[in-house]
Amino acid sequence: MLRHVSLALCLGAASLPAIALAQQAAPEGATATIHADQPGPRMNRQVFGQFAEHLGHGIYGGIWVGETSKIPNDHGYRRDVLDALKAIKVPMVRWPGGCFADEYHWRDGIGTRAKRPVKINTNWGGVDEDNAFGTNEYMGFVERLGADSYVSANVGSASPGETAAWVEYMTSPSGSTLAKERAANGHPAPFKLDYLGIGNELWGCGGNMRAEYAADLTNRYAQFAKASGKTKMLKIASGPSDSNYEWTDTMMRLSGKNIDGLALHYYTRPHDTKWEDKGPALGFSENDWAATMAHTLQMDEFVTKHSAIMDKYDPAKKTWLVVDEWGTWYDPAPGSNPGFLVQQNSVRDAVVAGINLNIFAHHADRVKMAAIAQMVNVLQAMLLTDGARMVKTPTYWVFDLYKPWMDATVLPIDVKTPWYHKDAFALPAIHASAVRDTAGQVHVALVNLDPNRAVPVSVALTGLSATGVSGRVVTGPTMDAHNSFEQPDAVKPVAFTAAQVAGGTLTATVPAMSVVVLDLR
Ligand code: AHR
């Protein structure tokens, strides 16, 4: 958690409200204190979850190429993608959407592949969806990753009975007809269904509902979606977007007792006044950089305020806030199908990822699960593929750096930081979090969102004695430095040597536009 030292900072950009930030100004370098003697909550590893939707090449070509593909695969799953995802220990995968979920009928995606119906993906590019990747393929994917499953059910255009039958198909250990059908499709044992989403964005593509109506439907679908046998399936309701606090209040009031989690969606867009103009992923201005950082910092405000409403109905914090769609959303890559949401991923995205992961750590008492949008080839992707080629993005490398945060104990950290100024923006340069991992080692993340200036940071370590430090950094020579298929390793972590520990103080000079993770010994 990051201690609130109460300072209201007004960002000059007209579209941005004042953001209450937990940092105070410091003229030169930043100073901080880690309170290791006051351990906070556990940061669930599920916060590092990822979202994989039937959208563009998010699934087809990105994860699934089929057994007959020339691209090396394990029963149809790309081997390079599987290996890359295993290396960052993906803890949860949300599927099949997104907007796709509320048009998805699970029976289309089971049984002999050649006989599955071809549908139109009306949300994303109007392309043919041949349903080759269905329930068994998804479950095979998460089983291979060792990840939890999170299936979003169709509330918008399917009946509660259809959802109930899908849950029974996935979880029933008995000799029921649906369990036998699953066995005939190659999986006699029940699947491990960890989370069930009750629709997606019910206020929008999930059915344009009022919160009251969505809450009633949530109660109804939740009532009939019963996991069988030993399956402990948590139910996640479709929650608000951005600052829709009314939605959270209504859902918690009317459905709070029937759900285990409430979803929050928030996308970072550099330009947020017109949906058609979000700003380019590459070749952007420094004003766009600053706007991106200002918008992404708003995640803290949204999580804080939605959590406060949840506290009203659930003071014991039993209901999870699940940020199951977050990340950057830019204009589509030039020449790409606009419905495929293809975008490059640069050092800017790495810094955005670090800031959001820090925010989730600060709110680990309520944010128990999250999913970056999305896993492969869509929006702020971990991986990009092109035929047989694959690259790991700067965002992927930040997730790699933050692996020790999974299931770690969050340590409070107070930060006093210099400001980064650009045009109308005044933003805290240093954004940080600290944890004690499951083996007892302390790790500190220092993100410098100033693209022009390295910032010296001095961290007082209270309640812990450290004698050494090592670390890694993700940065690049320009704001939009990125990995291409031609230069796949342009941005990747390198050893960070500008940190020392002496006399209970950790010092480091954090490079401009970088994410540094330090491991104390
Ligand atoms: O991630 C892309 C889309 O964004 C999802 O399908 C939808 O839930 C959200 O609006």
Side-chain angles (χ1 to χ4, degrees), residues 245-300:
Y245 302 117
E246 224 179 286
W247 186 278
T248 297
D249 198 284
T250 306
M251 290 300 285
M252 288 301 292
R253 181 165 49 83
L254 300 179
S255 302
K257 289 193 170 52
N258 299 320
I259 58 172
D260 303 292
L262 184 70
L264 165 66
H265 292 180
Y266 175 53
Y267 285 98
T268 298
R269 288 175 289 140
H271 310 169
D272 72 343
T273 44
K274 237 177 38 191
W275 187 252
E276 302 71 42
D277 170 25
K278 304 177 194 71
L282 299 179
F284 49 85
S285 65
E286 190 182 331
N287 185 280
D288 269 18
W289 169 282
T292 306
M293 297 305 146
H295 285 296
T296 223
L297 284 164
Q298 280 191 287
M299 178 66 91
D300 196 298

Side-chain angles (χ1 to χ4, degrees), residues 280-293 330 345-351 394 420 422 449-452 475-482 491 512-514:
L282 299 179
F284 49 85
S285 65
E286 190 182 331
N287 185 280
D288 269 18
W289 169 282
T292 306
M293 297 305 146
Y330 307 125
N345 192 296
S346 70
V347 163
R348 176 173 59 165
D349 296 86
V351 172
Y420 157 56
K422 176 64 189 167
L449 58 80
D450 186 330
N452 304 312
T475 186
T478 57
M479 294 183 293
D480 69 347
H482 59 278
V491 180
M513 49 181 173
S514 73

